Amino acid sequence: MSGEQDVDFRVSRINRNDQDRGKLAQFLADHPHFALSDSIMSLSTEVIGNSNIYCHKAEEIGSCRMGTFVGTNYEDMKKSKKNSAMSNIITVNNNTLVVDPLMIFQRILISKKRDEDLADLL
C-alpha cells in the first residue's frame, strides 16, 4: 500500500517541509527584504522621496480638486497653474528628469489585467 501513497504525504516529508519552512522564516527574519524608513521610497529602485513627493495623497488631492468643479459649467472651468498637480519634470537626487505621461498611462494599461486592478495601479 505504501507504493501507492503520494510521497508528499509521508510523515518524513511533512517533517522535512516543516523544518525547511522554519529555516526560510528565520532567514527572512534575519535578512529583512525592505529597509525600514519613515520616508516614501520606491521599492524597485530604493530611491527615497523628499518633501515634494505627495503621490500617497493622490486620491485625497484629486477628490478635493474635483469638488471645486461640482456645480460649475464645463465652459466656465479654468485650469490654473496654481492648482495644477501635473508636471512633466521631477527631481531625483538633484537630477532633473522629464516624465512622459503617455508612457506612464501605457504602462498602467499594460499592467492592468481587470478593471478592478486600475484603482490599485493608480
Side-chain angles (χ1 to χ4, degrees):
M1 183 94 171
S2 65
E4 297 175 12
Q5 290 180 337
D6 191 330
V7 176
D8 290 333
F9 293 112
R10 291 185 183 161
V11 174
S12 60
R13 177 64 64 97
I14 292 170
N15 289 338
R16 192 172 81 198
N17 287 345
D18 287 342
Q19 289 175 353
D20 290 344
R21 274 192 288 276
K23 289 176 187 176
L24 180 60
Q26 186 61 47
F27 176 83
L28 292 175
D30 293 341
H31 302 89
H33 45 283
F34 295 119
L36 296 177
S37 174
D38 292 334
S39 302
I40 293 176
M41 179 178 68
S42 168
L43 294 177
S44 61
T45 64
E46 295 186 358
V47 172
I48 295 176
N50 59 21
S51 61
N52 295 328
I53 304 293
Y54 51 86
C55 57
H56 61 290
K57 297 182 178 181
E59 186 173 359
E60 177 186 336
I61 292 169
S63 295
C64 181
R65 294 213 174 121
M66 288 295 291
T68 62
F69 295 124
V70 173
T72 305
N73 291 331
Y74 181 76
E75 293 133 6
D76 298 335
M77 290 183 200
K78 292 184 181 177
K79 180 180 171 187
S80 71
K81 291 190 179 207
K82 176 178 92 175
N83 290 329
S84 177
M86 279 301 278
S87 172
N88 290 358
I89 300 173
I90 62 170
T91 303
V92 177
N93 295 333
N94 295 324
N95 294 322
T96 302
L97 305 169
V98 177
V99 178
D100 183 2
L102 179 60
M103 183 179 292
I104 293 172
F105 176 72
Q106 289 169 341
R107 287 183 179 177
I108 289 172
L109 288 180
I110 290 170
S111 301
K112 179 178 95 71
K113 292 180 177 51
R114 303 171 300 167
D115 288 341
E116 294 80 22
D117 296 340
L118 190 57
D120 291 334
L121 292 169
L122 293 176

